[in-house]
Amino acid sequence: MPKVSDNNKRIAKNTMLLYGRMLFMMAVSLFTSRVTLAALGVTDYGIYNVVGGMVAMFSILSGSLSVTIGRYITFEVGKGNKDRLKTIFSTSVSIQLLMALAICLIAEIVGVWFLDNKMVIPSDRLYAAHWVLQLSILTFAVNLISVPYNSVIVAHEKMSAFAYISILEAVLKLAIVYMLYVSPVDKLVLYAVMLACVSIVIRLVYGWYCKRHFEETHCRLSFDKGLLRDMFGFIGWAFWGNGVVVLKDQGANVLLNLFCGPAVNAARGVAVQVNNAVYSFVQNFMMAVNPQITKSYSTGNLADMHKLVIRSAKFGFFILLVLLMPVCANINYILGLWLVEVPEHTANFIVLVLLYSLLECYCHPLVTGVLAQGDIKRYEIAITVIYSLNFLASYVFLKLGMQPEVVFVLNIVFKAFVIVALLWHSRNKYAFPIGAFLRKCVMRTVAVFLISAAVVWLLPVSGCDNFLDFAVCSFVIFVLCASLVYFLGITKNEAAYIKNMVASKLHLRH
């Protein structure tokens, strides 16, 4: 029992730290997005998003390694084997260095050809697009090398490091915005250069922090052949699943460029920024819970693992819901207040991306459970098929001349099939109780969502013309949704669980 209490206290502490980080980052992100779009213009902003997204497609080669490294490090921290942990970390850093070199080489060859021959870029901005490509490759490689260090911090649940380093990152990005206004050089090129510099600085800071606080990071680069075989058995299947996720997301961004032009990429970029800001509330909660899910499995405590998965999926959904409803009800006013120039389709994209993220709330803890168990072959095959069909469907519908919103609608439809695949695999591999998940999580969350949406739709609480009306409207919707969550969405035990988390945070110093 003391162990459960300690775990809850740790989750509460880490959640609060991550929320403080998130609130600051969200404010900076929304401000910098507005100013950056105004400084660059719709076309240049769209170019940066689509060219940077094209480089991100190369995470098809690296993402599976990143997932594997995070899983193995967290699993071993849960077991407490320090010598094995050192071996895993050293092998992971060596792998990431080699992968970074390989991706740089491939991106140079494939990326330059695709940019010159396939992308829809105004001729007078092609030279700037090449700068963006080269610097995006550098930024990608630097972030890739940081993965083992970030995984160690998450595994040890030292979320304060993320909070403080993220503040530094946000301050540096504010400096970038200032430079965009005062510098006489090409603003798109300058933006790419400065972001690459920020990624290098943050990488060095994370490395310094890990060297000071975690013994396993003090080791020479090496490969353990047995571990490498074990990891690549995991990586081999994770590669396919990660690859099709990248194809669905960044590939769809390229499709939007090919069929609709860079202005639509700018609209998608704004939608992603808003979604990242809102969904970060959920991500920070999940980041605090994920290590506990993995460690519960590594110690054989499946009952606690099942409870954590179900509760985190439900709480994550409700956290997003109470934020999503005010945003969707007042999306046009928010965009007019936030942006100087609002790209066409932006409002629709934002609403659809946020609805997609509601389904992601179910997936996130289920995926953590699947990765903790380790035998991911059938699941990866299933999502490879599902996301490949998703991408093909997006291509077909855009080819038929449909509006770009169809891409986001298809993402939502196919995400439902991913949830089914996750539940089926979880039941087979770690005895996950699907019936309990449907009763305690899905039925309650869907009921609250439908009632909230119906009430918000029927009540005259949207369409604000001034800030006071917007503030009152948002507050009314927030309270309404939060009340529905409290009275219909959660049980008495879960209400007590939340109160205990908050109370544990308030008594952390005692």
Side-chain angles (χ1 to χ4, degrees):
M1 188 68 184
K3 184 178 180 182
V4 174
S5 177
D6 290 342
N7 288 341
N8 288 343
K9 184 179 290 188
R10 191 178 302 114
I11 291 172
K13 175 184 178 182
N14 289 331
T15 300
M16 296 298 180
L17 285 169
L18 290 170
Y19 274 144
R21 160 190 181 260
M22 176 272 303
L23 288 171
F24 182 76
M25 291 290 290
M26 182 178 67
V28 171
S29 176
L30 294 176
F31 172 75
T32 55
S33 296
R34 178 187 190 279
V35 177
T36 301
L37 178 57
L40 295 181
V42 171
T43 298
D44 277 4
Y45 190 76
I47 289 172
Y48 185 85
N49 273 278
V50 72
V51 174
M54 183 177 66
V55 174
M57 289 184 69
F58 288 97
S59 61
I60 190 173
L61 300 174
S62 65
S64 52
L65 273 172
S66 301
V67 169
T68 302
I69 289 168
R71 183 264 179 187
Y72 272 77
I73 288 176
T74 303
F75 191 93
E76 213 58 49
V77 168
K79 295 183 76 69
N81 189 333
K82 291 187 177 181
D83 291 335
R84 177 72 170 172
L85 189 57
K86 288 181 180 179
T87 302
I88 291 173
F89 180 82
S90 177
T91 301
S92 299
V93 173
S94 300
I95 291 173
Q96 293 295 77
L97 284 170
L98 293 176
M99 183 60 69
L101 291 174
I103 287 177
C104 287
L105 178 62
I106 296 171
E108 285 291 338
I109 298 172
V110 178
V112 171
W113 173 84
F114 194 82
L115 179 60
D116 287 335
N117 295 279
K118 298 296 181 181
M119 299 290 287
V120 180
I121 305 292
S123 58
D124 62 328
R125 302 305 295 148
L126 192 58
Y127 81 97
H130 275 282
W131 271 97
V132 171
L133 175 64
Q134 298 300 322
L135 291 162
S136 295
I137 293 171
L138 173 62
T139 302
F140 184 86
V142 171
N143 291 337
L144 184 61
I145 297 170
S146 298
V147 167
Y149 296 91
N150 294 1
S151 297
V152 167
I153 295 172
V154 173
H156 285 282
E157 301 181 66
K158 300 296 184 182
M159 304 309 177
S160 58
F162 281 110
Y164 299 134
I165 296 174
S166 294
I167 291 174
L168 171 62
E169 183 178 2
V171 170
L172 292 175
K173 288 184 176 180
L174 285 173
I176 292 177
V177 170
Y178 175 74
M179 291 294 294
L180 286 178
Y181 271 102
V182 300
S183 176
V185 302
D186 188 294
K187 295 185 185 302
L188 180 56
V189 175
L190 175 66
Y191 185 59
V193 170
M194 296 299 291
L195 284 180
C197 291
V198 169
S199 69
I200 292 172
V201 171
I202 296 302
R203 159 70 188 89
L204 294 174
V205 173
Y206 274 122
W208 169 81
Y209 178 85
C210 289
K211 293 291 184 182
R212 285 200 60 182
H213 293 87
F214 307 123
E215 181 183 349
E216 61 267 24
T217 61
H218 294 273
C219 55
R220 295 181 178 180
L221 298 181
S222 63
F223 287 100
D224 182 278
K225 293 182 179 179
L227 174 63
L228 206 58
R229 284 194 300 269
D230 191 22
M231 291 179 72
F232 269 95
F234 191 94
I235 290 167
W237 290 110
F239 170 84
W240 295 105
N242 183 74
V244 290
V245 170
V246 172
L247 180 67
K248 174 186 71 69
D249 292 336
Q250 301 303 332
N253 197 25
V254 173
L255 288 179
L256 289 171
N257 175 263
L258 297 177
F259 286 101
C260 307
V264 171
N265 294 121
R268 180 188 178 275
V270 172
V272 170
Q273 286 285 339
V274 174
N275 182 66
N276 289 344
V278 177
Y279 191 67
S280 60
F281 282 84
V282 180
Q283 285 180 317
N284 284 288
F285 172 70
M286 296 295 185
M287 187 182 290
V289 176
N290 285 346
Q292 290 296 324
I293 293 175
T294 302
K295 291 174 183 178
S296 294
Y297 182 83
S298 70
T299 56
N301 195 343
L302 291 184
D304 278 354
M305 179 191 181
H306 296 160
K307 290 178 182 178
L308 279 171
V309 169
I310 293 172
R311 277 182 172 171
S312 58
K314 178 194 281 189
F315 291 170
F317 188 101
F318 286 144
I319 289 169
L320 183 59
L321 180 66
V322 297
L323 298 171
L324 175 152
M325 285 300 180
V327 171
C328 291
N330 299 287
I331 188 61
N332 290 319
Y333 178 81
I334 292 172
L335 288 174
L337 182 68
W338 175 32
L339 302 177
V340 176
E341 182 180 1
V342 181
E344 189 179 1
H345 303 287
T346 301
N348 291 339
F349 286 3
I350 290 173
V351 172
L352 291 170
V353 170
L354 288 173
L355 291 176
Y356 175 87
S357 291
L358 278 177
L359 296 182
E360 186 64 37
C361 293
Y362 294 144
C363 292
H364 198 124
L366 288 168
V367 169
T368 303
V370 167
L371 295 176
Q373 190 274 330
D375 185 2
I376 59 174
K377 175 181 176 181
R378 292 183 180 180
Y379 164 68
E380 297 294 347
I381 291 173
I383 66 168
T384 298
V385 173
I386 293 169
Y387 283 139
S388 296
L389 292 174
N390 188 356
F391 178 77
L392 290 174
S394 298
Y395 174 81
V396 170
F397 279 94
L398 288 174
K399 186 74 172 178
L400 292 173
M402 298 192 71
Q403 292 296 309
E405 282 84 354
V406 70
V407 172
F408 300 91
V409 174
L410 288 170
N411 287 348
I412 293 171
V413 172
F414 281 94
K415 193 66 172 182
F417 290 105
V418 172
I419 294 171
V420 173
L422 272 168
L423 290 172
W424 170 75
H425 186 86
S426 299
R427 182 191 63 185
N428 290 338
K429 295 301 180 181
Y430 62 94
F432 184 73
I434 294 179
F437 182 81
L438 294 176
R439 289 192 311 273
K440 297 178 180 180
C441 179
V442 175
M443 291 179 65
R444 286 179 178 267
T445 53
V446 170
V448 172
F449 169 76
L450 292 176
I451 296 172
S452 299
V455 172
V456 170
W457 179 268
L458 293 173
L459 291 179
V461 291
S462 59
C464 303
D465 296 323
N466 57 71
F467 186 79
L468 179 60
D469 288 345
F470 162 69
V472 173
C473 169
S474 298
F475 179 75
V476 169
I477 295 174
F478 179 86
V479 172
L480 173 66
C481 293
S483 299
L484 287 170
V485 168
Y486 185 81
F487 290 108
L488 298 178
I490 63 175
T491 65
K492 292 181 179 180
N493 289 336
E494 287 167 343
Y497 174 77
I498 295 173
K499 291 176 182 178
N500 288 337
M501 286 182 64
V502 175
S504 65
K505 172 59 183 174
L506 295 176
H507 291 88
L508 281 177
R509 296 182 179 180
H510 298 286

